[in-house]
Amino acid sequence: MTGPKTEQRRAGGIDYTLTRRRVRNINLRVRADGSVAASASPRVPAGVVDAFVASRAVWVAAAQAKADARAKRDAAADAALPPKAEALAQMTALCRAYYPRFAATCPGGRFPRIAVRDMRTRWGSCSLKTGTLAFSRRLCVAPLPAREYVVVHEFCHFAHPDHSPAFWAAVEAVLPDYRQRQQLLR
């Protein structure tokens, strides 16, 4: 079995990558880097896909402008972030402050491994398998109550690996005002 076939094409002044796969419709998207990708069934003639892409030229241009603006905004925000080593020290110190409340639920009863990553879609994550709490470097510029909320949230996942009522009760037991703290991250 072979994977999807791709080819570079140009239509209506738009350079795009066409991927042939089992899909019902012609799908068109602009990626975060501004590149354009289309996918279509192998049975759809390339000329039909080209016409579809060309007919969406105004939408593609707007989506590319939006992606460019987002990239510039993210680059400016990243420049304001502390270096990774500083962010790691900051998050480790905050985790050490809360660790005594969660020591019994941490894997092996040990202080978890702390990591800081350049995550864009999450503030933090918890790995039961490796005993690691990972935090977004962007969290380091959030208000302290918001950072505390994310730390407590991730520690609670060691005992409750889901977002069940028991999980939220555990968060609320430590931070009764967690809902207000969540709002600081929006």
Side-chain angles (χ1 to χ4, degrees):
M1 180 175 189
T2 62
K5 295 190 180 359
T6 62
E7 64 177 291
Q8 293 301 121
R9 299 193 57 84
R10 184 171 178 82
I14 300 167
D15 292 315
Y16 73 99
T17 303
L18 172 59
T19 304
R20 298 299 192 154
R21 59 172 49 118
R22 292 179 57 186
V23 292
R24 288 186 179 192
N25 301 310
I26 299 172
N27 300 305
L28 183 64
R29 70 181 173 281
V30 174
R31 297 184 180 119
D33 66 0
S35 64
V36 180
S39 57
S41 169
R43 290 179 280 166
V44 176
V48 171
V49 178
D50 287 346
F52 179 82
V53 171
S55 73
R56 303 299 192 277
V58 172
W59 176 84
V60 167
Q64 286 176 321
K66 201 174 185 180
D68 185 49
R70 185 180 303 114
K72 286 177 181 168
R73 185 182 67 239
D74 288 349
D78 286 352
L81 296 177
K84 272 195 173 177
E86 185 181 318
L88 179 61
Q90 180 182 345
M91 294 311 299
T92 300
L94 193 53
C95 288
R96 285 201 187 284
Y98 279 94
Y99 172 70
R101 297 186 85 144
F102 297 99
T105 61
C106 289
R110 291 186 300 271
F111 184 75
R113 180 177 167 270
I114 307 299
V116 172
R117 300 188 180 120
D118 287 323
M119 297 189 279
R120 293 244 179 252
T121 59
R122 301 176 159 199
W123 291 109
S125 66
C126 171
S127 172
L128 294 170
K129 186 177 177 182
T130 63
T132 301
L133 297 180
F135 300 98
S136 170
R137 193 164 57 124
R138 294 182 311 122
L139 186 60
C140 295
V141 295
L144 179 61
R147 284 181 273 154
E148 290 174 333
Y149 161 71
V150 175
V151 166
V152 168
H153 181 112
E154 298 309 332
F155 264 119
C156 286
H157 277 309
F158 283 135
H160 307 279
D162 52 22
H163 289 113
S164 65
F167 167 82
W168 291 111
V171 172
E172 191 169 27
V174 179
L175 299 173
D177 65 339
Y178 80 89
R179 287 180 184 90
Q180 289 83 10
R181 293 169 183 251
Q182 276 180 322
Q183 294 302 314
L184 296 172
L185 296 170
R186 300 204 191 284

